[in-house]
């Protein structure tokens, strides 16, 4: 039978490095005492001990009479409550009835104030006034638009472009419309029967001019801000 020459050294290393409880736990475990069991509310936080007040003998002033107090007897009022009530009823203002509404001719009565039929909302002080957050948002939008336009202008200046003014844009639009009317007038003056090649070429030319003018007019009307390159 083969026996390794390293067997004694392996046994010695195993005895030195491996304890008997390394993988299975300690050999002897202290058993807890049965007297130290977990009691109810034992883990809840405990309040500090209450301090005795120095003036514990002095009781606070009570708003109700004590049990030993006796009412004052023999006091009579000389006020005539009958006459007083009669004068108050005669001189007092009559009570105004609450406004009501009826849902149908022989229906039930309901209070008009809580029905929503009274225009209370339009009588508020801030009715019709633009809220502050809306004005603030509009100002921020305008400021952002101005900054954006300023950035575009700066960028276009670098690229040698200029913006058309409102008058130039209006005059350009009017000129395009006038040219379209002239071309349309020429188109209307064409003969009904187009049987030659020059007539067909001329008609196609007028149609292309009208389409181009219509496209230019639509672009200028759609965009209020137009930039053109400097010559």
């Amino acid at each position: 039978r083969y026996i390794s020459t390293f067997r004694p050294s392996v046994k010695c290393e195993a005895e030195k490095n491996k304890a008997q409880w390394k993988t299975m736990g300690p050999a002897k475990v202290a058993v807890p005492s049965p007297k130290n069991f977990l009691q109810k509310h034992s883990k809840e936080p405990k309040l500090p001990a209450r301090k005795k007040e120095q003036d514990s003998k002095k009781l606070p002033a009570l708003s109700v009479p004590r049990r030993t107090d006796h009412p004052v007897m023999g006091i009579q009022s000389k006020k005539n409550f009958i006459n007083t009530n009669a004068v108050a009823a005669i001189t007092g203002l009559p009570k105004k009835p609450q406004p009501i509404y009826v849902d149908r001719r022989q229906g039930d009565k309901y209070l008009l104030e809580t029905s929503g039929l009274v225009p209370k909302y339009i009588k508020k002080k801030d009715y019709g006034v633009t809220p502050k957050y809306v004005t603030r948002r509009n100002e921020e939008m305008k400021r952002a638009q101005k900054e954006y336009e300023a950035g575009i202008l700066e960028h276009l200046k670098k690229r040698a472009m200029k913006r058309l003014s409102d008058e130039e844009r209006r005059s350009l639009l009017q000129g395009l419309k006038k040219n379209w009317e002239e071309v349309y007038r020429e188109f209307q003056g064409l003969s009904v029967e187009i049987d030659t090649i020059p007539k067909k070429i001329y008609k196609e030319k007028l149609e292309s001019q009208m389409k181009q003018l219509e496209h230019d007019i639509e672009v200028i009307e759609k965009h209020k801000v137009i930039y053109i390159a400097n010559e």
Side-chain angles (χ1 to χ4, degrees), residues 10-57:
V10 170
K11 281 186 176 182
C12 183
E13 291 292 332
E15 290 178 358
K16 286 182 181 179
N17 298 331
K18 186 176 180 182
Q20 57 182 348
W21 59 82
K22 192 168 185 180
T23 58
M24 300 300 292
K28 292 183 180 181
V29 180
V31 180
S33 176
K35 295 181 180 179
N36 299 331
F37 56 88
L38 184 63
Q39 298 181 356
K40 187 177 182 181
H41 306 295
S42 60
K43 292 188 176 182
E44 293 181 359
K46 296 182 180 180
L47 297 175
R50 185 176 180 181
K51 296 180 180 179
K52 293 184 178 180
E53 297 181 0
Q54 296 179 358
D55 301 336
S56 59
K57 295 181 180 179

Side-chain angles (χ1 to χ4, degrees), residues 116-220:
L117 301 174
V118 182
K120 286 185 176 181
Y121 188 76
I122 60 176
K123 294 181 180 179
K124 289 186 176 181
K125 293 182 180 179
D126 56 349
Y127 178 76
V129 180
T130 306
K132 293 182 179 179
Y133 75 93
V134 176
T135 55
R136 195 185 311 116
R137 184 178 60 185
N138 293 338
E139 291 176 358
E140 291 176 357
M141 290 174 63
K142 289 180 181 179
R143 183 169 62 253
Q145 183 67 22
K146 288 181 180 179
E147 292 177 357
Y148 176 72
E149 290 180 357
I152 289 178
L153 288 173
E154 188 69 22
H155 180 68
L156 293 176
K157 285 180 181 179
K158 292 179 181 179
R159 295 181 60 185
M161 298 187 75
K162 69 175 184 178
R163 175 179 174 179
L164 281 180
S165 61
D166 294 339
E167 295 181 357
E168 292 176 349
R169 176 177 169 275
R170 198 179 301 109
S171 62
L172 179 62
L173 191 61
Q174 291 177 358
L176 289 173
K177 289 181 178 180
K178 187 176 181 181
N179 293 340
W180 183 87
E181 290 176 357
E182 292 178 356
V183 176
Y184 183 71
R185 192 181 301 110
E186 292 180 5
F187 183 79
Q188 291 288 88
L190 292 175
S191 59
V192 177
E193 186 177 357
I194 299 175
D195 51 355
T196 60
I197 295 176
K199 289 182 179 181
K200 291 181 180 179
I201 294 173
Y202 186 60
K203 181 184 177 183
E204 291 176 357
K205 180 182 177 182
L206 293 178
E207 289 178 349
S208 64
Q209 288 180 0
M210 289 172 63
K211 287 183 180 179
Q212 184 63 35
L213 289 171
E214 288 174 359
H215 177 266
D216 296 341
I217 291 169
E218 184 180 357
V219 169
I220 294 175

Side-chain angles (χ1 to χ4, degrees), residues 220-231:
I220 294 175
E221 287 180 346
K222 185 177 180 181
H223 301 88
K224 295 183 179 180
V225 182
I226 299 174
Y227 296 93
I228 58 173
N230 292 330
E231 296 179 357

Side-chain angles (χ1 to χ4, degrees), residues 101-110:
Y101 77 99
V102 184
D103 52 0
R104 55 182 184 272
R105 188 172 182 181
Q106 295 179 351
D108 299 327
K109 296 180 180 179
Y110 302 97

